[in-house]
Amino acid sequence: MAQMHNQLSPAEGIWALRRLPDMDEAQFNQWQTLLEHRTGITLTAERRSFLETNLGIRMREIGCSSYQAYYEKIVNGPDAVREWATLVDRLTVQETRFFRDPDAFRLVADYVLTRPREQFRKRALEAWSVGCSTGEEPYTLAMILNECMGQLALQPLFGVTGSDISLPAIEKARQGQFNARKLLGMDEDMKARYFRPSERNTVEIVNSIRDRVCFTRLNVLDLDKAPMHGMNIIFCQNLLIYFRRWRRREIVKRLAERLAPGGLLVLGQGELTDWQPPGLQRLPSEHVLAWIKRQSDEE
């Protein structure tokens, strides 16, 4: 504690340790509206403490003393765009790991292995990880696709795109370097094939996989402007839970438009219930929520 006071002026030291006042209803509603308008993400009343904590950490970092002052900085300040990007990163980046949902990745492998081989000789297989965070999911998809191509005795003609609203997350994903704990529970042979040791207890993705994966910043509210089309696989898990039901349907419709005929869409369990996306056929699976785009829907 003494060390902290040596590094800060008395006023700064007091501010850095001072507890922020609780966020009142009007302030919470204001932040709720801003987040939903700009990102589509809905924060329920139960998530108010999550918002207070993350706003408070950032406010202390920049020396902002009230929620209203920080709101004005985000909306009208001279550095509003950069500050908004920083805040969105804090609020949206979730803990993830490689092979997070084994059932879903097994389904992807089964899908690829049962396609006609000629399809992969004619054109590269394209996969898209939506809401990819720091890259574990798209890299996992690339490993799966590489394994499948090997089993089919085909050249590894495939590409994976990862997209996320958080620019810092995308930048980290591009580095392809991860803490070794992200590999916990992963098959040892897969680890040996696709990772190599790096500095300070980290590992990095081998170049043969990194070269197959690219990353781009994308807000799912702007899917109508996304350049992705004719995708064979779209993987979108643990993203839709943050949106209202009507918006989930809109997002899934947009994603379906970007699937190639016969393409596969994989969502998280429970993210979309009691609704059949038009033009898609539900796959019979107890553990994975997935659809195939009907061949007749080719435009």
Side-chain angles (χ1 to χ4, degrees):
M1 192 69 70
Q3 186 177 8
M4 177 181 288
H5 284 291
N6 288 339
Q7 293 173 340
L8 301 171
S9 71
E12 288 173 326
I14 292 169
W15 156 239
L17 299 174
R18 184 190 305 150
R19 185 182 183 278
L20 285 169
D22 290 337
M23 182 181 285
D24 64 33
E25 194 70 28
Q27 288 171 332
F28 180 64
N29 290 339
Q30 184 175 243
W31 281 100
Q32 252 186 333
T33 302
L34 180 69
L35 280 163
E36 184 158 3
H37 173 69
R38 290 190 177 182
T39 68
I41 293 171
T42 303
L43 280 182
T44 61
E46 292 77 23
R47 302 267 287 167
R48 185 186 298 193
S49 62
F50 164 82
L51 180 63
E52 286 178 339
T53 299
N54 284 277
L55 289 181
I57 291 170
R58 181 58 185 160
M59 287 161 62
R60 285 187 174 90
E61 288 174 359
I62 62 175
C64 193
S65 59
S66 75
Y67 295 117
Q68 190 59 39
Y70 187 50
Y71 181 87
E72 294 299 330
K73 182 178 179 65
I74 286 282
V75 174
N76 300 313
D79 201 27
V81 173
R82 185 180 299 173
E83 186 56 38
W84 173 250
T86 300
L87 180 62
V88 166
D89 179 58
R90 301 291 178 85
L91 296 176
T92 59
V93 174
Q94 302 296 317
E95 176 69 16
T96 185
R97 62 185 184 276
F98 292 95
F99 293 87
R100 180 174 181 170
D101 185 344
D103 290 324
F105 289 116
R106 270 193 291 271
L107 185 140
V108 168
D110 289 343
Y111 168 81
V112 174
L113 292 172
T114 55
R115 299 297 99 187
R117 293 191 192 191
E118 275 307 305
Q119 177 180 325
F120 303 131
R121 290 193 178 100
K122 289 177 181 175
R123 83 183 269 270
L125 187 154
E126 296 287 343
W128 177 14
S129 167
V130 186
C132 70
S133 190
T134 47
E136 289 85 344
E137 183 175 281
Y139 285 127
T140 300
L141 280 171
M143 294 175 214
I144 292 287
L145 298 182
N146 195 62
E147 292 287 307
C148 289
M149 293 301 173
Q151 288 185 48
L152 294 171
L154 294 172
Q155 292 296 314
L157 295 176
F158 66 88
V160 180
T161 299
S163 67
D164 199 272
I165 193 173
S166 167
L167 191 55
I170 289 296
E171 289 171 349
K172 186 178 188 317
R174 285 184 179 133
Q175 294 169 9
Q177 194 168 351
F178 300 91
N179 190 296
R181 66 183 170 79
K182 295 279 188 174
L183 277 60
L184 286 175
M186 190 174 164
D187 179 81
E188 291 298 325
D189 288 340
M190 293 281 278
K191 282 186 197 178
R193 273 199 295 282
Y194 296 117
F195 295 90
R196 59 186 177 215
S198 190
E199 56 197 17
R200 296 192 299 275
N201 196 36
T202 64
V203 293
E204 58 184 1
I205 305 283
V206 296
N207 290 340
S208 60
I209 292 298
R210 283 185 64 177
D211 292 346
R212 299 283 174 188
V213 185
C214 66
F215 295 93
T216 185
R217 185 180 183 275
L218 179 68
N219 186 337
V220 289
L221 297 191
D222 299 327
L223 283 175
D224 56 330
K225 304 169 190 170
M228 297 78 163
H229 290 280
M231 308 303 293
N232 302 102
I233 299 166
I234 298 180
F235 206 92
C236 180
Q237 286 201 316
N238 306 305
L239 175 69
L240 297 181
I241 53 174
Y242 299 106
F243 298 91
R244 294 187 189 277
R245 188 173 299 168
W246 68 268
R247 199 178 302 270
R248 295 181 193 187
R249 294 181 177 185
E250 287 298 314
I251 290 170
V252 170
K253 280 182 185 176
R254 294 288 188 192
L255 293 176
E257 291 168 3
R258 277 149 178 75
L259 273 176
L264 173 71
L265 173 63
V266 180
L267 303 182
Q269 278 283 58
E271 289 187 316
L272 202 65
T273 56
D274 305 323
W275 181 64
Q276 171 59 47
L280 301 181
Q281 182 173 348
R282 175 80 189 270
L283 283 178
S285 172
E286 289 183 21
H287 306 293
V288 186
L289 187 61
W291 288 269
I292 297 278
K293 186 168 185 177
R294 296 191 181 102
Q295 297 282 350
S296 59
D297 287 289
E298 186 168 12
E299 297 175 356

